[in-house]
Amino acid sequence: EQPSISVYPSHKLSKINDNIYGGFTEHMGRCIYGGLYDPQNPNKNLIDENGFRKDVIESMKELNVPVVRYPGGNFVATYHWLDGVGPREKRPRRPELAWLGVESNEIGTDEFMQWCEIVGTEPYLALNFGTGTLDEALAWLEYCNSTQDTYYANLRRKHGREKPYNVKYWALGNGEDDYQDSLWETDADIRNRVLGSLAGRAGPSLISSTSERPPADPYQMTKEDYAKKAYQWAKALKLTDPSIELILCGETGHSSWDFYVLKECVKFDTHSLGGSTTASLIDMHSIHIYTACETDPLQNAIAPRSAERAIEIAASLIDLARIENGVPPSVPRQTICFDEWNVWDPSRAPGDKGAEEKYTLSDALAVAVWLNVFIRQSKYVGMANIAQSVNVISPLMTTKDGLMKQTTWWPLLLFSKYMRGTTIATHVSCGAYEGPTTPAWQQSTVDSPWLDVSATISDDGWVSFVVVNVHQTEAFDVEIAGVKEGEVKKYVVSGPSWDVVNTESEQKVGIEEDQWDGKGKLHLPKMSMTMLRWKQ
Ligand code: AHR
């Protein structure tokens, strides 16, 4: 079959929320200490007066990251925010139970807020649903957002910050790939940490259907426990500050957990919201998925298509909850907050060892497919946060002398720079992969064409179109209908073999920039991502 693609710039589908290019910084491995903050680095040029890495700040600015989630992840389930405010010399060092380290609390709320202000990004805080209390959560919200003459607002003032931080996004705990956190850890995370190194047990991404899961710990927080607690906390948090947006913790988007918590928490509850008929206790539903297939680079590259199905299913579950609970159209539809996504194989990069995954070309293509998914599904996705922003399963690595940009940095940069605005329609006609997938259920539920595409139009009329050729051995020459002949900018991310990685000394995968006249066929190398841009 001769492949062909059509792009329809005038057929607008849905607005893209800039927050799909969100980041995530957890107190884990070298993300905060050594990533954001590195005062001990001997190379003083790299560090600003606050001890922050200047090169990391510049990279976040280059990506134009609109929102950053903090402080976890699993870390948050035993985190007490009061440990991290006030004079540094008085802050306690605590054992840290998620990744089994020690938390110095040198970086806490005020430092993170300061970093966000320097970067020009919005903070998104996750609440401790493990060992934390509702009182603590309310106090944190008051500390961050209140302008009143009250204890925690005054504590913030005492710590040198008069103005409120106005943190808009708050997560009701930390959701999980396939298990919600129990007290402080999930079965999935125990697998990542303890079993991760055992062959064939690569963690959450690979264990994605109920039958494949190990038995749940009976003392784990159940969906019933979680839904009740989330609803109670949501009421009190919105009473304290009705301007915030609350994120409910789902799971993979396609589980009975997601179904149950949505049904219980997405309600029409004007009583809790001061009689408002337009507000909602829950504003977004969070899902987490990591994809990976160590043994097959093709399966690895197409695995994010399973996340696309997860988004569709979660969006349907949101609609179902709204219909069944009689939520009127005056209440804006809850969106999906994909607040952990990436390629991660915990057997390659275990969590308790800092999860410093080394990314291949196949992983870069997977990230491009992930981002295509968010563009195609922009109608439903209110936020997405790559996990994580630096050093931990990240496209960006710090060294003592500077930065190393992994293969996955380049598709992320291109998308974040150009794929904003509105999703537009595309049509692809090409052959498809047929065979086993990871996760296994993907094979029977999602198509896997060799060419994975998405397209956008910006407010000033620039069309950006991405096509990922996931084929390991075949290049394609493709007719692109709808491209404007003349000056078309072309960017290609590719490399000599699927397993090539970037190192400090050699960038084997980067962006090749070129021009195309838009005439004839476009050559798509094997294992490549191509972006075209033209002014409509
Ligand atoms: O991002 C790394 C970890 O992955 C997070 O702490 C946790 O939420 C997930 O299992």
Side-chain angles (χ1 to χ4, degrees):
E1 184 183 353
Q2 266 304 312
S4 66
I5 297 175
S6 304
V7 183
Y8 303 97
S10 57
H11 186 161
K12 296 188 176 175
L13 295 176
S14 49
K15 279 261 169 221
I16 298 161
N17 195 316
D18 278 347
N19 284 349
I20 65 166
Y21 298 112
F24 171 33
T25 55
E26 174 169 4
H27 286 248
M28 175 181 176
R30 294 194 306 124
C31 182
I32 300 291
Y33 304 109
L36 263 60
Y37 180 70
D38 195 13
Q40 310 305 343
N41 192 304
N43 190 343
K44 293 296 164 215
N45 293 333
L46 289 176
I47 312 302
D48 75 4
E49 63 281 12
N50 310 298
F52 295 139
R53 291 277 305 219
K54 289 196 272 193
D55 48 5
V56 172
I57 289 170
E58 283 319 306
S59 300
M60 294 298 112
K61 286 186 179 168
E62 189 183 6
L63 283 180
N64 197 1
V65 177
V67 58
V68 178
R69 179 173 179 246
Y70 175 84
N74 294 341
F75 171 80
V76 78
T78 55
Y79 179 62
H80 299 287
W81 70 272
L82 274 165
D83 288 347
V85 294
R88 272 206 171 115
E89 63 286 1
K90 293 205 177 131
R91 296 187 194 173
R93 287 173 67 78
R94 301 266 192 214
E96 191 283 297
L97 298 183
W99 309 109
L100 300 183
V102 170
E103 175 53 50
S104 70
N105 284 304
E106 268 179 85
I107 293 289
T109 306
D110 295 291
E111 292 79 19
F112 178 69
M113 296 297 159
Q114 187 186 18
W115 183 83
C116 286
E117 284 180 354
I118 297 170
V119 167
T121 193
E122 232 183 301
Y124 162 22
L125 296 179
L127 296 166
N128 177 353
F129 257 54
T131 61
T133 63
L134 175 55
D135 271 345
E136 255 179 288
L138 295 173
W140 202 9
L141 178 57
E142 180 192 326
Y143 185 90
C144 290
N145 288 5
S146 176
T147 51
Q148 289 183 307
D149 177 14
T150 53
Y151 181 80
Y152 288 105
N154 287 335
L155 188 64
R156 182 192 70 232
R157 293 183 183 105
K158 189 172 152 203
H159 294 158
R161 172 75 184 203
E162 175 58 40
K163 275 195 313 187
Y165 292 117
N166 292 327
V167 178
K168 179 172 172 192
Y169 302 109
W170 295 82
L172 297 160
N174 168 49
E176 283 309 326
D177 308 87
D178 48 0
Y179 287 105
Q180 177 60 30
D181 47 359
S182 52
L183 251 183
W184 56 79
E185 246 188 356
T186 66
D187 283 0
D189 298 307
I190 293 167
R191 276 203 311 277
N192 294 346
R193 186 161 59 73
V194 184
L195 302 175
S197 54
L198 299 179
R201 298 302 301 272
S205 58
L206 301 186
I207 301 176
S208 53
S209 74
T210 313
S211 59
E212 288 172 284
R213 293 173 185 171
D217 175 350
Y219 298 106
Q220 211 165 19
M221 184 185 277
T222 63
K223 54 185 185 298
E224 290 82 8
D225 299 333
Y226 174 78
K228 189 170 176 185
K229 184 166 165 176
Y231 199 80
Q232 288 169 345
W233 283 40
K235 277 188 177 186
L237 288 157
K238 288 237 166 160
L239 277 176
T240 306
D241 182 350
S243 74
I244 59 172
E245 293 206 3
L246 288 176
I247 292 96
L248 184 71
C249 282
E251 204 190 40
T252 53
H254 55 80
S255 72
S256 54
W257 176 289
D258 294 278
F259 176 59
Y260 184 86
V261 301
L262 281 165
K263 175 90 196 315
E264 290 304 305
C265 297
V266 171
K267 290 193 172 141
F268 186 48
D269 187 346
T270 52
H271 174 69
S272 307
L273 296 161
S276 165
T277 53
T278 54
S280 170
L281 282 179
I282 301 301
D283 302 281
M284 287 192 244
H285 179 70
S286 137
I287 56 184
H288 293 179
I289 294 178
Y290 294 98
T291 57
C293 180
E294 167 86 343
T295 50
D296 182 346
L298 171 70
Q299 287 189 47
N300 186 59
I302 60 171
R305 283 210 156 219
S306 62
E308 179 154 31
R309 193 74 189 118
I311 292 170
E312 291 165 344
I313 295 169
S316 301
L317 293 177
I318 290 171
D319 285 352
L320 185 62
R322 289 175 64 96
I323 294 165
E324 290 215 338
N325 292 333
V327 179
S330 54
V331 176
R333 185 202 218 160
Q334 287 71 16
T335 54
I336 290 163
C337 180
F338 219 123
D339 55 12
E340 285 186 33
W341 70 267
N342 204 346
V343 180
W344 183 20
D345 181 343
S347 69
R348 293 195 301 216
D352 67 333
K353 305 228 165 31
E356 300 207 4
E357 182 84 80
K358 287 199 175 41
Y359 288 112
T360 62
L361 172 60
S362 161
D363 297 328
L365 300 186
V367 163
V369 174
W370 263 109
L371 292 162
N372 271 346
V373 166
F374 294 138
I375 298 298
R376 289 195 294 260
Q377 297 298 326
S378 62
K379 180 172 178 189
Y380 301 122
V381 183
M383 191 191 296
N385 307 70
I386 189 166
Q388 300 188 0
S389 291
V390 57
N391 289 336
V392 174
I393 36 174
S394 178
L396 192 68
M397 307 299 289
T398 60
T399 70
K400 73 174 185 358
D401 304 314
L403 289 179
M404 199 275 277
K405 288 176 173 156
Q406 300 228 52
T407 58
T408 52
W409 169 264
W410 304 107
L412 180 65
L413 180 66
L414 284 172
F415 269 84
S416 188
K417 268 181 133 161
Y418 301 125
M419 300 292 278
R420 299 195 187 221
T422 304
T423 301
I424 55 174
T426 52
H427 180 262
V428 189
S429 167
C430 69
Y433 165 76
E434 283 168 30
T437 57
T438 306
W441 62 261
Q442 184 180 343
Q443 190 179 352
S444 54
T445 36
V446 185
D447 295 334
S448 302
W450 298 119
L451 303 177
D452 191 273
V453 310
S454 75
T456 61
I457 189 161
S458 66
D459 295 344
D460 59 357
W462 276 88
V463 176
S464 301
F465 160 74
V466 168
V467 49
V468 184
N469 177 8
V470 295
H471 208 295
Q472 301 297 292
T473 53
E474 246 186 86
F476 296 105
D477 291 301
V478 188
E479 202 90 56
I480 313 276
V483 68
K484 199 164 169 201
E485 289 185 6
E487 271 180 35
V488 179
K489 293 179 192 296
K490 184 174 146 194
Y491 309 84
V492 179
V493 178
S494 192
S497 62
W498 71 264
D499 56 353
V500 65
V501 296
N502 287 348
T503 63
E504 263 182 83
S505 53
E506 214 179 352
Q507 283 278 306
K508 288 195 175 149
V509 175
I511 298 173
E512 273 177 43
E513 257 186 85
D514 205 354
Q515 291 278 345
W516 184 46
D517 59 9
K519 294 182 187 149
K521 291 185 174 177
L522 177 70
H523 182 70
L524 302 175
K526 64 179 184 184
M527 294 177 301
S528 65
M529 165 191 155
T530 303
M531 176 183 274
L532 300 179
R533 301 192 69 234
W534 66 89
K535 181 86 196 265
Q536 194 55 27

